[in-house]
Amino acid sequence: MMTADGSTALMLGTQSGGHRTLAEKAYVSLHDAILSGQFAPGERLRIEQLAETLDMSPMPIREAIRRLDAAGLVDLAPHKATRVTELSLADLEEVYQARLALEPLAVQLAAVRFSAEAATAASASLARYVDACGRDDAGAIWAAHTDFHFVLYGEAGSRWLLRLITPLWESSERYRRASPDVQRSLSERQAEHEAILDACTCHEPDCAADAMWNHLAMTANLLAGAMGSGQLFAGDSRERV
């Protein structure tokens, strides 16, 4: 949201957690602003201006910027302006290549040990996702969709997989939000999520991995098409086109 002087107006999150450090609050505010599109790809982030907007000193802003750089959401280079990471076909392909390596592995591991509690939690998240899609509530869609996937990934029992998947997930969400008109029908998306969950619940690791691969490849190909490219990944066979 732009102010009269052309700067970006940010709301400092008042979410629960007054215990959060200023750097954490700055990170949450800037992170959410980037994902929601308040900051456009390539837009310069001026630390002094952000500090004034968020009513804090530059130090926590700098720390938040470093975290955003590590998450791939900003480009921070010595002696250069800090900017929101650009969206590009090359970056999209890299993001999904990494996701296709990690997320099928995560659900493959999860399916071996998938618990009844996880099945209940994932089903509830999927129901919230479907409801949010019906209401076209972008924030609720993001939250429920994220919860669904990370219930599955959490069952893999690997902290490193979660650490690696998280920034890739957030980077790909920027592409999804930048191309809202390329979504498949809700029934198709729901069916794909149910196939992944069913394979996990039935303890079928290879089926879970294949279902996740196809789900991600379909999304990547649609996003690439919206950017003027052909398919990046083949469906039903874990390889690049």
Side-chain angles (χ1 to χ4, degrees), residues 27-195:
Y27 175 79
V28 170
S29 294
L30 297 175
H31 171 277
D32 291 350
I34 291 171
L35 288 188
S36 68
Q38 288 187 58
F39 288 124
E43 184 173 346
R44 183 175 179 178
L45 300 181
R46 293 175 170 83
I47 290 177
E48 296 295 337
Q49 185 181 78
L50 292 172
E52 182 178 351
T53 301
L54 295 176
D55 191 25
M56 59 180 67
S57 73
M59 186 176 295
I61 302 295
R62 291 191 180 94
E63 183 176 336
I65 292 290
R66 285 193 291 270
R67 287 184 60 189
L68 292 167
D69 176 56
L73 296 178
V74 304
D75 290 324
L76 176 62
H79 312 302
K80 291 185 178 180
T82 298
R83 297 184 183 276
V84 176
T85 303
E86 294 276 8
L87 301 181
S88 69
L89 184 63
D91 181 68
L92 174 72
E93 183 173 6
E94 285 189 26
V95 167
Y96 272 90
Q97 281 178 331
R99 289 189 67 182
L100 285 164
L102 296 171
E103 291 173 52
L105 172 61
V107 295
Q108 187 174 43
L109 295 173
V112 174
R113 47 185 285 167
F114 208 69
S115 66
E117 292 78 11
T120 299
S123 294
S125 296
L126 184 55
R128 288 193 291 110
Y129 170 74
V130 172
D131 176 69
C133 288
R135 294 184 284 108
D136 197 25
D137 184 335
I141 291 170
W142 156 256
H145 190 218
T146 300
D147 287 348
F148 172 82
H149 277 264
F150 280 83
V151 167
L152 307 186
Y153 305 150
E155 285 292 281
S158 170
R159 289 181 300 166
W160 274 107
L161 278 174
L162 290 176
R163 288 170 177 167
L164 294 169
I165 289 170
T166 297
L168 295 165
W169 175 272
E170 295 180 343
S171 291
S172 62
E173 180 64 13
R174 297 178 64 219
Y175 288 93
R176 290 165 56 87
R177 294 195 186 193
S179 304
D181 297 331
V182 302
Q183 291 276 16
R184 284 160 289 153
S185 70
L186 176 57
S187 61
E188 289 179 308
R189 285 176 281 150
Q190 183 178 358
E192 289 177 16
H193 288 102
E194 288 175 346

